[in-house]
Amino acid sequence: MSGITKEDYETLKKMPNETLLNLFSMHIRNIWRVDGLYFQGIEEKFGTEAATQIDTNCWKVLGKLEARELKNLLKIEKTDIPAFMHALRNTSWSLYQEEKETEVSQTRGVYRVTKCRIQETRINKELGVFPCKNVRFSYLKSFAEEFNPDIDAKCQVAPPEKRPKGVWCQWEFTLRGKK
């Protein structure tokens, strides 16, 4: 029960599961709204390059924090690829993505975003595609390193690279020495 008062905890405990999940989902969307608004504010004042550098550093730190907290919260003891992919599916980034695909084996995991809410929001606001590769890679690399230092993260495709239809980004995770 970290981060909330005992009274708040008791109130949440009394909520129907569906309401609690909707509340949880709303807060995840709000986190991403704030992230986008901060990014746009920095981008307007200092340019996309500066905003991307700041964003990259923030997400690198968040990757480590989120991996550590999810291992603890989800009581993950094994740090193999299936356990890693389970943790990754429970990150705020993954939960925010409504259309994604994963492939999981004992030695390899693939995470693919087929419809990116972040990119589509930018396009709808006529801001253009955000070259997110460095930001997301720093996050996923630090998440993987914190989860298990032997997990390698590799970007297979992400903006600004040309991408296949129906894929915004795709990431591969392997255990070092186990292909």
Side-chain angles (χ1 to χ4, degrees), residues 38-50:
Y38 265 96
F39 185 90
Q40 288 173 23
I42 296 167
E43 186 178 34
E44 284 175 22
K45 187 160 182 134
F46 302 106
T48 302
E49 188 176 327

Side-chain angles (χ1 to χ4, degrees), residues 30-126:
N30 283 343
I31 288 167
W32 282 91
R33 287 173 180 140
V34 167
D35 177 71
L37 292 169
Y38 265 96
F39 185 90
Q40 288 173 23
I42 296 167
E43 186 178 34
E44 284 175 22
K45 187 160 182 134
F46 302 106
T48 302
E49 188 176 327
T52 301
Q53 287 174 351
I54 292 166
D55 212 27
T56 298
N57 293 335
C58 290
W59 282 99
K60 182 178 182 179
V61 173
L62 182 64
K64 288 182 184 294
L65 295 172
E66 214 167 8
R68 194 175 312 141
E69 289 183 11
L70 281 169
K71 279 172 69 174
N72 184 43
L73 180 70
L74 301 175
K75 298 176 178 25
I76 297 173
E77 293 179 19
K78 291 180 81 176
T79 58
D80 59 6
I81 293 295
F84 170 81
M85 293 299 287
H86 172 66
L88 184 61
R89 289 281 313 228
N90 284 284
T91 62
S92 59
W93 172 66
S94 180
L95 291 170
Y96 185 67
Q97 299 300 336
E98 291 180 315
E99 296 189 31
K100 59 201 170 238
E101 300 169 352
T102 57
E103 300 170 23
V104 183
S105 74
Q106 287 300 313
T107 58
R108 179 176 178 264
V110 174
Y111 189 99
R112 179 180 313 108
V113 176
T114 56
K115 185 175 180 183
C116 182
R117 293 174 85 167
I118 298 158
Q119 294 289 12
E120 296 201 4
T121 298
R122 284 187 61 87
I123 290 167
N124 289 339
K125 289 183 172 189
E126 299 180 0

Side-chain angles (χ1 to χ4, degrees), residues 20-33:
L20 195 55
L21 289 171
N22 286 331
L23 179 67
F24 173 69
S25 179
M26 180 200 73
H27 286 304
I28 288 174
R29 284 190 314 275
N30 283 343
I31 288 167
W32 282 91
R33 287 173 180 140

